[in-house]
Amino acid sequence: MKVSLVQSDWEAIECDALILPIFEDEAVDQPPVSRIEEHLQGLLAEIRDAGEWKGKSGQLITLHRPRGLHARRLIIAGAGKQADFDSAAVRQLMMTAMHKLKDKGFQKIAAYRRSRIGLESAIQSAVEGLVLGSHQIDEYKTESKGTGFGGELLLVTEEALTTESQAALRRGEILGRAANLARSLVNEPGNRVNPSRLAERARQMAEKCSLQVEVFDEQQMEEKGMHSVLAVARGSDEPARFIILSHMGAAQADQPPLVFVGKGVTFDSGGLSLKSAESMEEMKADKAGACTVLAAMQAIAQLHVPVNVVGLIPAVENLPSGRAQRPGDVIRSMSGKTIEVLNTDAEGRLILADALHYARSLNPRLIVDYATLTGACVVALGHFRAGMFCNNEELYRQFMQAAERSGEKYWRLPLDDDYRKELDSQIADIKNVGSRSGGAITAAKFLQEFVDKTPWCHVDMAGTDSFAENQELKGPTGFGVRTLAELAMKFQD
Ligand code: BES
Ligand code: ZN
Ligand code: ZN
C-alpha cells in the first residue's frame, strides 16, 4: 500500500473511490453539499428525506459514476456533528470507511480532508485511521485475501503541501502500520508464536529498523537471577526468552532511557491454577503488552525519535505439567524479594517483577508497562478504557497528553498503600494474589514493589487488547502502540 498527500479539490481527483465526509448538521446550500446536489440533481436530499442516510458517523452511501466528478465512485461518509469532529472522530471515520472499502478490489482510494482541527493533526489522524482500516487478518484462511488493501491511498487536501504536512502524513503512516503489526502479532495463535518465535519476530523487526536487539535464553536468565520469569515458564516445554530492544536515538549515548515493558505470555492456561475452557479461549492474546512494546519500538525507530528508548519483553508460556510451579511455592525474584505463589494464574505480575527490576538497573528516566494483567480490570472498565496507574504526577500529565494525541482511552485507578496489605504473606516478602476485591489494584501494588520510586506508569490492557463484540472491526486493536510512540516523541527536546 502506498500512501500520499495530494493537493486538489474533491471534484478533480481521479480514483476508484472518493471518501467525502458530510456532516449531519451542515448547510445544504453551501459546498460541498450544494455542489453534489448540482451534479446529482438533488439525490442527496432525496436519500436524506427517505431516511436512508442521516449523516451519522460511519454511515456510508456509495454512488457510482457520479456526474461532474473524476472519481468512479463517490462514498458519502456520514461524519456526525461538525462540532464533534475532532481528531479522534476523524481517525474513527477513516478507519470505518476504509474497513468497508478495503476488499472491493479498488486500486486507488482517495479521502478528502474536511475538518476544522489543525491541518497536521487532521492529516496524522486521518492517515492513522485509513491505515488501521486497511488492515486485514485472514492469513489462516485457505482463500486468504492477503493482509489488506494493497493499492494506492491518497489523502486529498486543498491546502498547500508543506514539509510539516508531509511529516504528519509519514507519522500517521508509521503509527498506523506499527499498530497493525501489533494486531497481526497478537492474532498469532499459541502454536505459531511461542516465546522463541516472538524473539525471532523481534529480531527480524529490529534488523529491518536498525534497532539493537538482545535475547537472553534460560541460562542467561538463570545467571541474572530472573527466577520469577523462569518459575512461570517451568510448566511448558517451550523455554522462556527475555527480549531487549534498544533505540539509541539521543545525541548523548549515555542519556538515561525511557523503558517500556510488555507482558509476553504467549499462551496463558493458568498453569496448575487452571483456567476454565471458556476463559482460556482468548489467552493467545496474553502477549498483547509485549506486542504493544515491540510495535512501538518499530515506530520509534522509524520516526528517528532523538531519545534513548529500551523495550523489555519477558516471554513465557504458562502451562501445567509435572514440572510446573505449584500454588504455595516460594520463589526468589531478581530483586531479591521472595514471592509466595498462591495462584499460578497470576503469572503476569511474576514475569513483570523481574522485568521491572531489570528496567531499574538501566537507570531509566521512567518506566511504562503494558500488560493484559487482570480480569478484574475488564470487570471494572469494560473494553473501552484501559486501567492506568501512576506513581508520579509529572509522568501522569505527560502520559495523558500522549494518550490524548493517540485517542486511546485510559482511566486512572488508585495506588493507595491500604491495598498493599492484601499481599502480606506469612512466609515470604509478598504473595502474588490478594482477595477478589480490587483485583486490578492489588496487581498494580504488586508491581509497584519492583519499581520502588522510579517514575512509573502501569497499564492494565486486559479489556482493550481486542475490539468489543459489537464493534465494526474484529480482533486485536493494537492498543497502546500509538500512545507509547507519542510519549517518546514528547521527550525529544
Ligand atoms: N491473563 C490473565 C488476565 C486476563 C483475563 C486477560 C481476562 C484478559 C482477559 C491473567 O494472567 C490472569 O489470569 N489473572 C487472574 C489473576 C487472579 C488469579 C488474581 C485473573 O484476572 O483472574
Ligand atoms: Zn493468568
Ligand atoms: Zn495472563
Side-chain angles (χ1 to χ4, degrees):
M1 180 173 67
K2 186 169 168 280
V3 189
S4 42
L5 197 57
V6 179
Q7 184 185 14
S8 169
D9 67 50
W10 57 276
E11 286 154 299
I13 198 87
E14 225 175 278
C15 57
D16 294 311
L18 169 68
I19 305 169
L20 181 67
I22 299 289
F23 299 104
E24 201 178 322
D25 55 352
E26 79 179 287
V28 292
D29 56 353
Q30 308 258 324
V33 180
S34 60
R35 299 284 295 161
I36 296 174
E37 294 300 47
E38 234 172 80
H39 293 314
L40 304 176
Q41 297 160 330
L43 187 67
L44 197 53
E46 206 175 302
I47 295 173
R48 245 186 205 169
D49 293 346
E52 287 171 33
W53 182 86
K54 293 195 171 69
K56 297 255 180 271
S57 184
Q59 241 189 336
L60 306 185
I61 39 176
T62 303
L63 303 172
H64 287 249
R65 282 200 275 126
R67 278 185 26 205
L69 270 71
H70 290 84
R72 274 175 282 290
R73 291 169 198 77
L74 174 63
I75 316 291
I76 297 192
K81 295 204 168 60
Q82 294 184 68
D84 299 337
F85 205 55
D86 57 8
S87 56
V90 171
R91 185 185 300 104
Q92 182 67 41
L93 178 62
M94 290 303 158
M95 183 166 95
T96 311
M98 195 59 202
H99 175 69
K100 289 184 179 158
L101 298 178
K102 69 174 187 299
D103 30 69
K104 302 231 181 280
F106 301 154
Q107 277 315 304
K108 202 189 224 185
I109 299 181
Y112 182 73
R113 168 189 125 81
R114 289 199 73 204
S115 58
R116 296 186 304 180
I117 55 170
L119 180 62
E120 287 159 47
S121 128
I123 290 175
Q124 182 181 331
S125 313
V127 174
E128 282 173 13
L130 289 166
V131 174
L132 285 164
S134 73
H135 188 60
Q136 166 133 358
I137 311 176
D138 69 356
E139 60 175 305
Y140 295 121
K141 294 208 188 230
T142 309
E143 298 199 352
S144 170
K145 292 183 187 133
T147 54
F149 179 67
E152 204 180 327
L153 205 57
L154 306 177
L155 188 63
V156 183
T157 175
E158 293 194 17
E159 281 95 341
L161 307 184
T162 61
T163 36
E164 284 79 17
S165 56
Q166 294 287 4
L169 176 94
R170 175 111 183 94
R171 220 164 34 237
E173 187 183 352
I174 286 175
L175 292 176
R177 284 184 191 273
N180 286 345
L181 166 67
R183 291 166 70 194
S184 292
L185 267 181
V186 173
N187 188 58
E188 290 287 359
N191 63 337
R192 294 274 177 164
V193 167
N194 52 37
S196 321
R197 295 263 189 90
L198 187 62
E200 219 25 68
R201 298 291 283 263
R203 261 189 216 287
Q204 286 166 3
M205 184 281 285
E207 266 159 36
K208 203 181 73 194
C209 306
S210 321
L211 279 166
Q212 293 169 31
V213 60
E214 192 172 4
V215 178
F216 296 156
D217 62 17
E218 290 203 334
Q219 196 188 332
Q220 289 167 299
M221 292 168 71
E222 186 71 55
E223 284 159 15
K224 297 203 160 45
M226 295 179 161
H227 299 126
S228 198
V229 185
L230 291 168
V232 177
R234 281 181 60 88
S236 168
D237 288 346
E238 295 298 338
R241 291 288 183 263
F242 193 86
I243 307 164
I244 305 170
L245 293 161
S246 312
H247 166 77
M248 291 303 164
Q252 317 103 289
D254 59 349
Q255 182 198 70
L258 314 179
V259 180
F260 299 154
V261 180
K263 170 178 171 181
V265 178
T266 59
F267 181 73
D268 181 13
S269 71
L272 287 177
S273 313
L274 198 64
K275 287 183 184 293
S276 67
E278 200 187 314
S279 36
M280 235 185 264
E281 281 179 11
E282 306 289 321
M283 284 304 134
K284 67 172 187 183
D286 211 20
K287 58 184 179 312
C291 302
T292 296
V293 168
L294 192 156
M297 291 305 293
Q298 168 174 302
I300 289 164
Q302 291 179 339
L303 290 163
H304 305 291
V305 182
V307 178
N308 291 342
V309 188
V310 177
L312 300 178
I313 298 171
V316 296
E317 184 176 49
N318 188 22
L319 292 185
S321 79
R323 279 166 36 92
Q325 63 174 340
R326 294 151 284 258
D329 280 3
V330 175
I331 52 183
R332 185 176 294 278
S333 66
M334 190 184 183
S335 69
K337 287 196 168 93
T338 54
I339 305 169
E340 185 184 12
V341 179
L342 287 176
N343 190 319
T344 64
D345 196 11
E347 84 299 337
R349 62 196 79 179
L350 295 177
I351 66 169
L352 290 172
D354 282 349
L356 293 171
H357 182 77
Y358 185 86
R360 278 183 69 194
S361 73
L362 301 174
N363 181 31
R365 243 157 123 175
L366 56 89
I367 303 174
V368 181
D369 77 75
Y370 274 75
T372 46
L373 205 62
T374 67
C377 191
V378 190
V379 173
L381 296 172
H383 298 281
F384 299 101
R385 279 184 191 268
M388 79 89 83
F389 301 81
C390 193
N391 65 355
N392 179 291
E393 296 314 302
E394 174 66 6
L395 172 58
Y396 173 70
R397 207 179 45 76
Q398 288 163 326
F399 185 89
M400 290 315 280
Q401 284 170 358
E404 176 67 32
R405 281 186 63 87
S406 75
E408 293 173 325
K409 290 183 177 158
Y410 299 83
W411 196 256
R412 192 179 192 178
L413 294 169
L415 280 169
D416 300 299
D417 280 332
D418 308 79
Y419 293 98
R420 169 65 179 81
K421 294 188 190 65
E422 295 246 352
L423 300 173
D424 286 344
S425 160
Q426 286 190 3
I427 63 163
D429 296 332
I430 193 166
K431 58 182 186 183
N432 79 331
V433 281
S435 68
R436 273 171 58 87
S437 0
I441 307 171
T442 46
K445 289 305 285 181
F446 181 93
L447 299 183
Q448 193 179 14
E449 287 293 303
F450 300 89
V451 291
D452 202 23
K453 298 277 182 289
T454 311
W456 160 73
C457 200
H458 156 59
V459 177
D460 192 333
M461 59 181 294
T464 53
D465 64 314
S466 297
F467 288 105
E469 286 290 91
N470 54 2
Q471 278 170 288
E472 182 83 40
L473 274 67
K474 306 283 171 229
T477 53
F479 185 88
V481 174
R482 291 179 299 107
T483 303
L484 277 182
E486 293 283 2
L487 184 66
M489 283 189 265
K490 286 187 73 60
F491 284 84
Q492 52 198 357
D493 27 52

